[in-house]
Amino acid sequence: MAALPDVLAAVDLGTNSIHLVVARVEGSRFEVIEREREMVRLGTPSASDDEMRRLDAAAVDRAVDALKRFRQLASVSTDRLRIVATSAVREAENRGELLARVRDEVGVEVEVISGFEEARLIHLGVLQALPVFDDRLLVVDIGGGSTEVVVGRRGDVLTSRSFKLGAIRLTQRFFPGGEVVKGSVKACRSFVRSTIATFARGVRATGWDVAAGSSGTIGSVFEMAAARRDGPRPRTFNNFAIGRDEVEAVVRELVARRTPEERRELSGLDDRRADIIVAGALILEQVLAELGIEELRFSDYALREGVLLDTWRRTHGGSLHHLSDLRRRSVEHLLELMDEDPAHARHVARLALRLFDETAALHGLGDDSRELLEAGALLCNVGLFVSHSGHHKHSYYVIRNSEHLAGFTDREVELIAQVARYHRKSPPAKRHDAFAALPPEDQRRVQLLSGLLRIAVGLDRNHAGRVVDVRCTVGDRPAGEGSVTGGGAGDAADQGRRVDDGGAPLLIEAVPRDGDAPDLEVFSARQRSEPLADALGRPVTVEAAGATPAAAVQ
């Protein structure tokens, strides 16, 4: 069957697991269309030391069988499959047997990559998941056989190292059978510290802006840390952050359970990792301590996604600068994919941002809220792709469950979805389960941002762009002026920077395009202004610029 155009597939042939990702290339971004994982435990350290000198015959059989299945899955969409192998294969004296079988039975040449190349590709993968392109990024990736640490910026590796510190490797050395015995935890910690100490000093001296972790072992620690928190489990852990103290708490919980069977009772832990998670978590604990990392973010993307991007660049060339605005590009992609009138959405977003800026001294929210408002405005009509009736609710569902929104945290996706959901019909209310589940500060953000968005939507009621700008005044002065006081939950960057004027009325003036009379737009915006009035605690009215003010909505 002929392969579909612009589809690539990559396989990460790891020590513990084999991962497949198939993605469609759209411009310079990837849309994942297939993922598969199979835990084959390819690497098995020898009983006498922690070296993985030979690949077990049964493990080779499991790996070849998995690769055959992955090749069949990928061939539905593409014939361009790239397989990279990491520490277990690169260390094995008999790796030629595996490579020959994959070449003959699967029909693909396996690339055995170095530790440095593995670190570089992991870094490329993370750049596609987190909005950190312009930051100095430190990435930690813990596999079954090795741990990669890399510092990079704008796609360039500044320093990296691959250590023979893997969850399987150190389990064999310190926790045979997955059991914790007296002195084993202390010995493991000392071994990890001594292995990374010299490199860690250099990294601390170099410095970094953001630290991120990737792959299964670190993902399991994040799952367990999240399970210890109050509230619902995040739907996605991408860009989710935990503190070093949370990692240490997970480690204490793990080492207190002597056997894998006891650990399987712990919330958030994948049963299949119960025997190797202690070693993996201790590696992470000591890496964070030695490097001085206080907060770690998780990346859903790692080596295999880096292989996809590297494959694309080999074929097409070009720079990585498209990753510098990862979040905005992902919003734009979903907009183009599911909104039949993206020009209207962009115009509404511009008006919503002007309203946000003009009323900044009234609401006290900062740039992070501004970005969420823009995303919610751009995506508020994507639910029309499902159905016109109740499309605001469909927009919430589409946004909340989309895999296209790269670089946002689970909390941010929820807020974007709720801002979009409340752009029409009923305003936010405690009877709505999703809104009621938000903490008070986020409820206020949704009320304010959706209130601004409602008015912006009204100001382009005819999708004709008749209103080109807005001006806001409070009483007899611009809304941005006045005495500022504390109060209210705003963004972390500028909490409490709000005007104290006794609740004077807010007038929003719609500036029309030359020659246009925006009567319908003004009427529609005025009809939608009550939720913003409630959120700001002041009367709000909307008029055409230069018109005589009508009675304000209380």
Side-chain angles (χ1 to χ4, degrees), residues 435-488:
F435 180 75
L438 296 176
E441 64 271 19
D442 282 344
Q443 289 183 356
R444 178 177 178 269
R445 291 172 85 183
V446 169
Q447 288 169 329
L448 283 163
L449 299 180
S450 62
L452 294 168
L453 177 55
R454 281 171 175 262
I455 293 176
V457 170
L459 291 175
D460 198 36
R461 183 67 179 84
N462 270 342
H463 295 215
R466 289 176 179 153
V467 174
V468 296
D469 198 6
V470 294
R471 293 195 296 261
C472 296
T473 55
V474 176
D476 59 355
R477 68 172 185 276
E481 297 179 0
S483 60
V484 176
T485 184

Side-chain angles (χ1 to χ4, degrees), residues 264-435:
R264 288 189 175 96
E265 300 173 2
L266 295 174
S267 180
L269 178 61
D270 184 343
D271 287 353
R272 295 172 296 178
R273 292 186 182 274
D275 58 336
I276 62 172
I277 190 60
V278 170
L282 285 169
I283 295 169
L284 180 60
E285 175 199 60
Q286 294 306 300
V287 168
L288 298 187
E290 286 297 304
L291 294 174
I293 299 171
E294 296 299 330
E295 181 184 80
L296 190 71
R297 296 191 169 273
F298 186 70
S299 168
D300 275 343
Y301 287 5
L303 175 60
R304 52 202 170 275
E305 289 80 14
V307 172
L308 284 180
L309 181 56
D310 186 65
T311 303
W312 173 256
R313 292 180 69 198
R314 288 185 183 189
T315 305
H316 296 83
S319 72
L320 296 174
H321 290 290
H322 67 282
L323 297 175
S324 64
D325 200 7
L326 180 68
R327 285 151 65 111
R328 175 57 186 261
R329 287 175 59 85
S330 71
V331 171
E332 287 279 353
H333 176 67
L334 185 57
L335 168 67
E336 292 288 347
L337 192 67
M338 303 197 71
D339 191 334
E340 62 183 18
D341 190 1
H344 166 65
R346 292 189 180 98
H347 189 64
V348 166
R350 284 192 291 272
L351 293 174
L353 294 180
R354 286 290 295 136
L355 286 168
F356 181 95
D357 295 340
E358 285 281 298
T359 58
L362 303 182
H363 56 64
L365 300 177
D367 287 344
D368 50 353
S369 287
R370 191 178 190 275
E371 182 183 21
L372 299 180
L373 171 61
E374 182 179 27
L378 288 169
L379 300 178
C380 68
N381 287 325
V382 295
L384 287 168
F385 187 87
V386 180
S387 170
H388 188 279
S389 177
H391 77 264
H392 55 298
K393 297 179 182 179
H394 296 313
S395 292
Y396 172 86
Y397 179 84
V398 169
I399 295 167
R400 198 64 189 86
N401 293 281
S402 174
E403 295 183 350
H404 296 286
L405 295 179
F408 291 98
T409 65
D410 185 74
R411 177 193 182 200
E412 289 169 334
V413 173
E414 177 67 33
L415 293 176
I416 292 168
Q418 292 210 28
V419 170
R421 183 251 187 272
Y422 291 116
H423 82 278
R424 66 191 290 269
K425 299 293 185 180
S426 61
K430 293 291 182 66
R431 68 178 183 276
H432 301 151
D433 291 343
F435 180 75

Side-chain angles (χ1 to χ4, degrees), residues 8-11 20-22 67 70-72 74 78-83 106 108-109:
L8 304 174
V11 169
L20 165 74
V21 60
V22 183
L67 291 173
F70 287 178
R71 177 61 191 269
Q72 290 176 337
T78 183
D79 57 6
R80 290 177 287 179
L81 173 63
R82 187 175 170 194
I83 303 174
V106 183
V108 179
E109 292 282 352

